[in-house]
Amino acid sequence: MTLPLKPPVQPQLARPAKELPSNGDWRFEPKWDGFRTIVFRDGDEVQLQSRNGRPMNRYFPEVVEQVLKLPGQQLVLDGEMVVEVDGVQEFDLLSQRIHPAASRVEMLAKETPAFFVAFDLLAEDKEVLFDLPYTERRERLAKVVKDPVQLTPCTDDSEEAQVWFSGRSEGVVAKQADAQYKPGERTGMLKIKRVRTADTVVMAFRFGKEENTVGSLILGLYDGDDLHVVGHTSGFSAKQKRELIGLLEPYRTHEHGSGGPSRWKSDEELQWEGLRPELVCEIAFEHITGRRIRHGAKFLRWREDKSPQECTIDQLLN
């Protein structure tokens, strides 16, 4: 490639924050739930680079084809590769693409194609744009991005940005208007994740590593008359783990079983103990994949005022 930047290029990173900044000149974009990707395009040659510098072309051939349709012939873009199913961003479907079998990659590229969302322009023709302010880079980015590559939405109005804390969005990224691009540094950018809550039915539990303790609660939601497992919550204090044994005992059905095999957990840790679906707890979570909560949820409180039948699957989808 004859580009002024050569892979690998470390992406600029965002510092976590709890709320949108109120002081200073900022621009706001939706936070995407995908693979951070640096795209190098030099004529008919395209290289997709992961956040940690690895080549990604063989896993996402459809994204390579999308980039080749851009009008600009020499570009270095920063953005995110995303897969959506019915409007929901599906991170796990992206992960399935990192597979050694070319035939499987080809099949998934057709069944659940990824697309690239561009949110920064790092180089154009022979010019490196790191030293330009974000607003100028964004203006130039908007001129070179065309379908099928997507340009991420952007606003300077913090009230307008609130929409990305609802629906199926993942949160907001705030960027200082005059910020230069600093590869690998956490500067000039903030990420404010959307934290969501749901009332869930406690379907079962797993014992903790210490005797007579609870390690985690298995959570469910109703879809019509059917109760589906949607995730788990753990992270209890030592005192809470001991107290939960007594709290759950009256609800035990003495059914038990095991989750699927895991390279991270022993067989004993995967064993679950059934409960009558009568207890409701409120949890907080950040991400979903399909109809399940990705990663563990945070236990907030018991909801004695809620009936289990009120705990429905639509809480994950709204």
Side-chain angles (χ1 to χ4, degrees):
M1 285 188 165
T2 60
L3 295 168
L5 291 174
K6 301 289 191 294
V9 171
Q10 290 184 300
Q12 184 173 354
L13 303 174
R15 291 182 291 111
K18 293 184 177 180
E19 57 187 24
L20 297 180
S22 56
N23 297 321
D25 192 8
W26 295 82
R27 301 295 183 270
F28 306 100
E29 303 173 359
K31 182 180 181 298
W32 297 87
D33 190 20
F35 283 177
R36 186 75 176 271
T37 307
I38 305 294
V39 170
F40 301 82
R41 194 266 173 95
D42 187 9
D44 293 334
E45 189 175 358
V46 171
Q47 290 190 35
L48 309 178
Q49 176 215 298
S50 72
R51 172 175 167 166
N52 57 11
R54 295 178 179 175
M56 303 290 280
N57 286 40
R58 72 177 300 269
Y59 304 118
F60 297 95
E62 76 276 29
V63 174
V64 172
E65 293 301 316
Q66 293 167 20
V67 173
L68 286 171
K69 294 179 181 179
L70 291 173
Q73 293 297 300
Q74 290 193 305
L75 303 168
V76 181
L77 303 167
D78 185 4
E80 199 113 349
M81 286 194 294
V82 178
V83 169
E84 282 189 350
V85 177
D86 297 328
V88 178
Q89 296 171 40
E90 296 280 7
F91 185 87
D92 282 0
L93 292 180
L94 279 172
S95 300
Q96 291 177 20
R97 299 287 287 277
I98 312 304
H99 195 279
S103 59
R104 178 170 174 80
V105 170
E106 182 180 358
M107 177 189 71
L108 293 175
K110 293 177 180 177
E111 292 181 353
T112 54
F115 58 91
F116 182 70
V117 182
F119 45 66
D120 215 327
L121 180 63
L122 310 188
E124 184 178 14
D125 297 328
K126 302 301 181 184
E127 183 183 5
V128 176
L129 309 182
F130 289 163
D131 292 338
L132 296 181
Y134 164 74
T135 49
E136 189 170 337
R137 297 197 312 275
R138 169 74 190 196
E139 185 177 341
R140 292 178 62 164
L141 175 69
K143 294 177 180 178
V144 299
V145 172
K146 308 291 183 185
D147 286 340
V149 172
Q150 294 191 22
L151 176 67
T152 195
C154 180
T155 180
D156 60 1
D157 188 333
S158 60
E159 291 300 316
E160 287 185 13
Q162 295 293 331
V163 70
W164 296 318
F165 290 117
S166 61
R168 291 168 173 172
S169 299
E170 294 293 320
V172 175
V173 175
K175 299 182 177 181
Q176 288 180 307
D178 61 354
Q180 298 177 333
Y181 194 95
K182 302 288 187 181
E185 296 186 23
R186 293 188 183 274
T187 182
M189 296 169 56
L190 301 174
K191 59 181 178 182
I192 305 93
K193 292 183 179 180
R194 177 190 179 192
V195 178
R196 305 156 69 178
T197 63
D199 296 320
T200 59
V201 181
V202 182
M203 300 175 62
F205 72 94
R206 291 192 174 104
F207 284 112
K209 293 182 179 180
E210 302 295 327
E211 189 175 359
N212 292 322
T213 64
V214 168
S216 62
L217 304 177
I218 298 173
L219 309 172
L221 290 172
Y222 278 100
D223 183 4
D225 295 329
D226 299 323
L227 185 60
H228 298 275
V229 175
V230 296
H232 73 277
T233 184
S234 56
F236 299 105
S237 68
K239 181 173 182 288
Q240 289 172 319
K241 290 178 180 180
R242 293 191 297 270
E243 292 174 343
L244 280 170
I245 285 289
L247 188 149
L248 299 178
E249 182 62 32
Y251 300 92
R252 291 185 64 181
T253 63
H254 299 285
E255 296 176 287
H256 60 271
S258 178
S262 169
R263 61 184 295 190
W264 310 115
K265 294 182 180 293
S266 66
D267 290 342
E268 291 78 11
E269 290 178 283
L270 292 169
Q271 293 289 329
W272 54 262
E273 301 290 328
L275 297 169
R276 297 198 311 274
E278 298 174 16
L279 292 171
V280 173
C281 70
E282 183 181 8
I283 52 98
F285 63 98
E286 293 180 357
H287 304 289
I288 64 168
T289 295
R291 294 154 63 92
R292 292 183 67 96
I293 296 167
R294 197 168 86 235
H295 312 310
K298 180 181 179 181
F299 178 89
L300 297 178
R301 57 176 174 154
W302 294 106
R303 292 298 306 266
E304 293 88 351
D305 58 322
K306 283 269 187 175
S307 72
Q309 286 70 29
E310 293 180 84
C311 302
T312 55
I313 196 77
D314 62 306
Q315 293 177 90
L316 299 188
L317 307 177
N318 296 329

